[in-house]
Amino acid sequence: MDKKTFYITTPIYYPSGKFHIGTAYTTVLADTIKRYKQMKGYDSYMLTGLDEHGQKIQEVAKKMGRTPKEHVDIMANEAKKLWELMEIEYDDFIRTTDERHEKAVQKIVNKFLENGDIYKGNYEGWYCMPCETYFTETQLVDGKCPDCGREVKKMQEESYFFNMKKYEDRLLKFYEENPDFILPEFRKNEIFGNFIKPGLEDLCISRTTFDWGIKMPNDPKHVLYVWVDALTNYITALGYMSDDDSLFKKYWPADFQIVGKDIIRFHGIYWPIFLMALGLELPKHIYAHGYIVMKDGKMSKSKGNVVYPEVLVNRYGLDATKYYLLKTLSFGQDSMFTPEDFVEKFNYDLCNDLGNLLNRTIGMINKYFNGVVNADLSLETELEKNLHDYINEKIDLIEKYMDDYKISDAIPEIWNIISRTNKYIDETAPWTLAKNDEKEYLSVVMYNLVDSLMKIAILIRPFMKNTSNKIFDQLGLRNDNLKSWNCLKENHKINEIKVIEKGDPLFLRLDLEEEIKYIQDIMHK
Ligand code: ME8
């Protein structure tokens, strides 16, 4: 039987500057969900890439003394290098300058033209250059761009328009019938209430003021303006409108499309309408996460408060960086990055809670049993039953959160299992058992510690694979079958435990002051 498929996407990022932890967060989140689904037996496919056309990119390239093509090639390498460092397991990396994409987009536009979805008109409006978006007078905030707060310019040009109004009723109906299409709910309410219900504006889709883009097939002095070119990447990457559309047939519709809150409006309105116009199914969910903000507001180079992921990964390790990002951003909300918080989470959650549990367990098994444990589980007591009940209940809850894509809710529950297991050590007081020569029950306690740690290693695996592997290795659990999500449910019996003699600490405790200063310094570079 064919496996169930799962298709997940990130936005395609603008290659305008170095990628910061915001971009990294979106990509890590997608990667984590992909890995989780894979562990649950899905045939998962993850797409990321770059949005390489447009006036902004043309201008950035010019400033750097590069042609647009030279610039985007350099940036595509940068992005791929970063994702390699962060061990992102994407399946495809689409660039909107790929021939496969350009060709398919022209076919898509032809289809829109044939359908009568596109007409030529004259556009006048307030244009925000960095956002590449026109706004109406009423949309401006204090005369400035409502999205980025920068200056806007009154502009007029001959343009092609997409007739959004034609699809308004269908979109309304779709929203009503699919209340969880946009997640979280408050974002859906925002889009629905502020943009869909009051009536849609037609969308200007072409420009004549720059030429770094895909040409309108019927009128090559016009190039496509960002959204038709960008949004369609999610299907062109799968081979839609190409000679080989097997991936498209296999994976479309997407299961989970992740975007930041800044672009949910485009994904919640234009994207479903383009798909409707093409007669295609709509994605199952579009999820808008919040922003990582700094103490002094949005990350920006001019404020000197940008954090780049490489710096964190190189100094604190990949798993610690991913842990921090995923735990910090709660479902749909903005969250603040602070050096203090980063270092504290590292020391408390990773060193104290998780690292110590593993170290203590390995230390005791070596001290009391020379590293080898064979336990008679018929000797388990009420204490073990309580521990198992607690962990099983938490596993169900964690699975539910993961299935609902609420990774930041799942993580504290995994850490509750860690604390509960640490508490089990206090409850059973192995040192007293050893002193009283109660070796048989002591081996049951050791078995249970290893069993809990094995489960913890499986639970953190979607986002901390290296740490998970280290835990398995140090506990001497070499059978790869143990690394599957099913082992959580089946109460897998470990036959023989033989831990290593002395494990390297998973995380080395950081000097709070020194590291806070280090992060502060790199933010200003
Ligand atoms: O909008 N916190 O590209 P983009 C969290 N090309 N996430 C952040 C963030 C922050 N501070 N800053 C950026 C574009 N992001 C278009 C997308 S898709 C068809 C076209 C993440 O480079 C977040 O996911 O501006 C946001 O949506 C995305 O980067 C914007 O990337």
Side-chain angles (χ1 to χ4, degrees):
M1 204 180 78
D2 281 348
K3 281 194 198 172
K4 274 196 288 183
T5 60
F6 186 82
Y7 179 36
I8 186 163
T9 65
T10 73
I12 46 170
Y13 308 110
Y14 288 128
S16 40
K18 224 168 130 52
F19 305 103
H20 56 54
I21 51 168
T23 327
Y25 168 71
T26 316
T27 315
V28 163
L29 179 64
D31 180 62
T32 300
I33 295 171
K34 178 200 157 169
R35 288 167 187 257
Y36 168 68
K37 288 288 173 182
Q38 244 167 1
M39 283 179 78
K40 290 196 72 179
Y42 283 78
D43 173 345
S44 314
Y45 196 86
M46 172 179 163
L47 175 70
T48 190
L50 293 183
D51 187 359
E52 300 186 346
H53 290 130
Q55 193 166 6
K56 193 163 67 174
I57 303 297
Q58 199 168 358
E59 280 169 7
V60 171
K62 199 168 156 201
K63 257 193 217 147
M64 301 185 103
R66 299 169 179 159
T67 65
K69 176 75 176 124
E70 278 165 2
H71 175 72
V72 295
D73 283 351
I74 291 171
M75 293 304 292
N77 274 338
E78 294 274 301
K80 286 180 183 170
K81 251 183 12 213
L82 175 60
W83 303 147
E84 195 182 326
L85 176 75
M86 300 197 77
E87 296 176 12
I88 303 294
E89 291 186 350
Y90 59 81
D91 296 277
D92 195 1
F93 187 99
I94 182 132
R95 302 174 55 184
T96 50
T97 54
D98 286 346
E99 197 188 342
R100 56 173 174 161
H101 177 72
E102 295 194 345
K103 273 187 170 167
V105 168
Q106 289 201 323
K107 288 186 190 163
I108 288 170
V109 172
N110 273 332
K111 189 152 183 191
F112 290 158
L113 286 163
E114 280 161 28
N115 284 353
D117 290 324
I118 289 177
Y119 62 90
K120 200 193 245 180
N122 235 330
Y123 194 83
E124 190 185 81
W126 294 97
Y127 187 62
C128 173
M129 205 107 93
C131 298
E132 295 187 354
T133 311
Y134 269 105
F135 295 98
T136 58
E137 187 91 37
T138 50
Q139 285 174 323
L140 300 180
V141 177
D142 299 330
K144 302 231 165 92
C145 170
D147 285 345
C148 74
R150 282 179 270 209
E151 296 291 336
V152 287
K153 237 166 70 186
K154 185 100 176 222
M155 292 201 356
Q156 197 200 50
E157 59 182 295
E158 178 196 273
S159 299
Y160 285 91
F161 285 82
F162 190 99
N163 186 350
M164 292 285 162
K165 290 194 185 73
K166 180 173 157 190
Y167 295 93
E168 202 169 86
D169 291 343
R170 279 175 65 185
L171 189 67
L172 268 168
K173 191 157 169 272
F174 183 82
Y175 265 71
E176 271 156 13
E177 286 170 359
N178 297 278
D180 59 357
F181 171 56
I182 304 284
L183 297 169
E185 197 184 357
F186 73 90
R187 289 275 173 230
K188 181 203 67 189
N189 295 340
E190 254 171 46
I191 296 181
F192 193 73
N194 298 346
F195 297 99
I196 303 181
K197 254 196 150 169
L200 297 179
E201 303 261 340
D202 287 349
L203 174 73
C204 174
I205 60 157
S206 79
R207 291 281 184 273
T208 50
T209 42
F210 64 92
D211 61 1
W212 179 240
I214 301 176
K215 295 190 181 353
M216 285 288 289
N218 60 324
D219 192 350
K221 78 171 189 293
H222 284 258
V223 298
L224 279 168
Y225 147 79
V226 65
W227 291 106
V228 176
D229 177 359
L231 288 164
T232 49
N233 87 87
Y234 304 125
I235 50 178
T236 63
L238 295 180
Y240 175 67
M241 292 261 189
S242 80
D243 295 340
D244 179 4
D245 64 355
S246 50
L247 287 175
F248 179 75
K249 287 201 176 104
K250 184 170 177 190
Y251 290 110
W252 192 257
D255 294 272
F256 201 62
Q257 299 205 262
I258 304 181
V259 298
K261 64 176 187 180
D262 52 332
I263 51 174
I264 185 64
R265 184 153 55 91
F266 309 109
H267 284 77
I269 299 174
Y270 307 148
W271 180 221
I273 289 182
F274 291 157
L275 290 167
M276 284 173 182
L278 294 169
L280 298 177
E281 273 186 82
L282 269 49
K284 292 184 193 138
H285 304 288
I286 296 180
Y287 165 62
H289 65 71
Y291 254 41
I292 302 178
V293 291
M294 298 291 151
K295 276 182 201 151
D296 50 355
K298 240 180 142 168
M299 258 189 284
S300 83
K301 261 201 196 141
S302 54
K303 279 191 199 155
N305 63 358
V306 186
V307 180
Y308 297 109
E310 293 91 338
V311 189
L312 297 179
V313 173
N314 290 335
R315 191 158 176 103
Y316 306 107
L318 178 60
D319 284 10
T321 305
K322 293 206 286 187
Y323 173 79
Y324 178 82
L325 292 175
L326 292 170
K327 184 173 180 199
T328 304
L329 272 112
S330 55
F331 198 69
Q333 305 293 330
D334 286 350
S335 304
M336 197 182 290
F337 175 96
T338 69
E340 294 80 1
D341 190 31
F342 186 92
V343 180
E344 277 167 15
K345 282 197 169 84
F346 187 102
N347 276 351
Y348 297 143
D349 303 359
L350 301 179
C351 292
N352 286 7
D353 296 346
L354 178 57
N356 276 351
L357 176 61
L358 180 69
N359 263 356
R360 288 171 87 188
T361 302
I362 288 180
M364 289 190 288
I365 294 178
N366 276 309
K367 186 168 170 193
Y368 303 136
F369 296 101
N370 289 323
V372 181
V373 176
N374 283 302
D376 174 1
L377 296 185
S378 67
L379 299 177
E380 286 190 340
T381 70
E382 211 39 37
L383 286 178
E384 285 70 43
K385 187 181 173 307
N386 287 342
L387 177 72
H388 299 160
D389 287 350
Y390 182 90
I391 292 180
N392 287 336
E393 212 175 279
K394 288 297 180 194
I395 287 173
D396 286 342
L397 185 62
I398 291 162
E399 195 167 45
K400 182 172 177 331
Y401 282 142
M402 296 293 283
D403 286 337
D404 289 344
Y405 311 104
K406 295 184 169 166
I407 315 299
S408 59
D409 289 329
I411 290 176
E413 296 300 345
I414 304 175
W415 259 255
N416 279 335
I417 296 182
I418 297 173
S419 303
R420 180 65 187 82
T421 308
N422 271 318
K423 187 172 151 214
Y424 172 72
I425 301 182
D426 298 336
E427 287 171 347
T428 51
W431 44 91
T432 312
L433 296 173
K435 210 163 64 193
N436 298 344
D437 214 18
E438 293 179 61
K439 281 259 168 153
E440 282 188 329
Y441 181 56
L442 183 58
S443 65
V444 168
V445 174
M446 294 302 117
Y447 179 95
N448 274 284
L449 291 178
V450 172
D451 183 64
S452 289
L453 273 161
M454 181 184 93
K455 288 179 175 147
I456 292 160
I458 297 171
L459 291 166
I460 62 171
R461 204 165 171 77
F463 54 96
M464 294 174 80
K465 188 171 174 189
N466 299 324
T467 305
S468 171
N469 279 340
K470 281 187 197 162
I471 297 175
F472 277 110
D473 287 349
Q474 296 198 12
L475 294 175
L477 305 173
R478 307 225 175 268
N479 179 352
D480 271 353
N481 293 336
L482 293 175
K483 295 175 181 170
S484 90
W485 204 263
N486 287 341
C487 288
L488 293 168
K489 294 276 176 181
E490 288 164 356
N491 257 332
H492 210 89
K493 170 93 174 72
I494 309 164
N495 287 331
E496 195 205 56
I497 294 166
K498 184 171 185 330
V499 303
I500 65 165
E501 242 173 77
K502 188 162 175 20
D504 283 338
L506 295 178
F507 301 95
L508 281 173
R509 214 183 154 70
L510 301 175
D511 182 289
L512 207 68
E513 272 178 36
E514 203 175 297
E515 296 309 320
I516 289 172
K517 186 165 176 320
Y518 176 85
I519 301 176
Q520 276 164 348
D521 286 349
I522 53 121
M523 278 164 63
H524 297 292
K525 280 209 178 115

